[in-house]
């Protein structure tokens, strides 16, 4: 198992959590978050049934997990890369070792962030935090990906 104490250890499970804002308006968020926080309703102008959303989310996660088991990480890495608002952008990474600044270049085959620092060094970052970016135009993350790719 990979842990904070042993970032190079073998990975045998992942615990992931997500939060989805469904019905908030932009003014429901504190002023300091209004430029980066949003909700499905605020982006689409539609009311979303949380149970329908949950069912669609579980269905897509199950699809991705089945795909991962069958084909490995590459299809998930590709889908993640094309939807990322971080790749190709300058970032400041908070990491246990030390903060780093650079350009987020790619996701490696192991899922690590490839970060190029000002001195030209390419770092493989397994864990850390990048502060949220300003809102981008809404794109439905649950829509079916073009299967012809």
């Amino acid at each position: 198992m990979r842990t904070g104490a042993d970032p190079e250890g073998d990975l045998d499970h992942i615990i992931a959590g997500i939060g989805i804002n469904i019905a908030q308006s932009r003014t429901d968020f504190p002023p300091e978050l209004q430029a980066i926080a949003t909700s499905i309703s605020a982006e689409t102008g539609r009311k979303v049934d949380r149970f329908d959303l949950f069912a669609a989310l579980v269905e897509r996660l199950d699809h991705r997990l089945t795909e991962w088991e069958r084909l490995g990480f590459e299809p998930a890495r590709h889908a993640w890369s094309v939807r990322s608002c971080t790749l190709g952008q300058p970032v400041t990474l908070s990491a246990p070792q030390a903060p780093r600044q650079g350009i987020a270049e790619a996701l490696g085959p192991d899922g690590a962030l490839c970060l190029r620092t000002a001195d030209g060094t390419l770092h493989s970052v397994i864990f850390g935090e990048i502060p949220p970016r300003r809102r981008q135009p809404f794109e439905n993350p649950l829509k079916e990906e073009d299967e012809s790719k």
Side-chain angles (χ1 to χ4, degrees):
M1 174 180 161
R2 187 176 295 158
T3 67
D6 182 19
E8 301 304 320
D10 293 331
L11 182 66
D12 62 11
H13 67 274
I14 297 172
I15 299 172
I18 61 171
I20 302 173
N21 296 322
I22 298 173
Q24 294 83 352
S25 70
R26 294 203 199 312
T27 58
D28 288 335
F29 297 102
E32 65 273 13
L33 296 180
Q34 289 179 4
I36 58 174
T38 191
S39 72
I40 293 174
S41 178
E43 294 296 329
T44 65
R46 296 188 316 233
K47 185 175 179 178
V48 175
D49 182 271
R50 64 184 177 171
F51 296 107
D52 290 344
L53 176 66
F54 179 72
L57 178 63
V58 169
E59 182 180 319
R60 293 302 296 155
L61 288 172
D62 183 59
H63 169 78
R64 287 288 184 198
L65 180 58
T66 300
E67 181 181 66
W68 189 326
E69 290 169 340
R70 201 175 80 246
L71 302 173
F73 179 59
E74 183 54 29
R77 189 190 72 78
H78 172 75
W80 188 358
S81 295
V82 299
R83 289 172 175 84
S84 174
C85 66
T86 301
L87 297 182
Q89 301 297 315
V91 298
T92 299
L93 175 77
S94 299
Q97 305 85 354
R100 288 193 178 139
Q101 292 184 329
I103 303 294
E105 285 198 357
L107 293 173
D110 61 352
L113 176 66
C114 300
L115 180 73
R116 178 130 0 236
T117 52
D119 66 2
T121 304
L122 189 62
H123 300 269
S124 180
V125 181
I126 295 171
F127 57 92
E129 183 177 347
I130 297 172
R133 303 185 68 77
R134 294 202 177 278
R135 276 195 317 263
Q136 300 297 316
F138 177 76
E139 179 182 335
N140 183 351
L142 296 177
K143 74 179 179 183
E144 294 292 325
E145 186 175 334
D146 180 4
E147 301 297 334
S148 63
K149 291 181 183 177

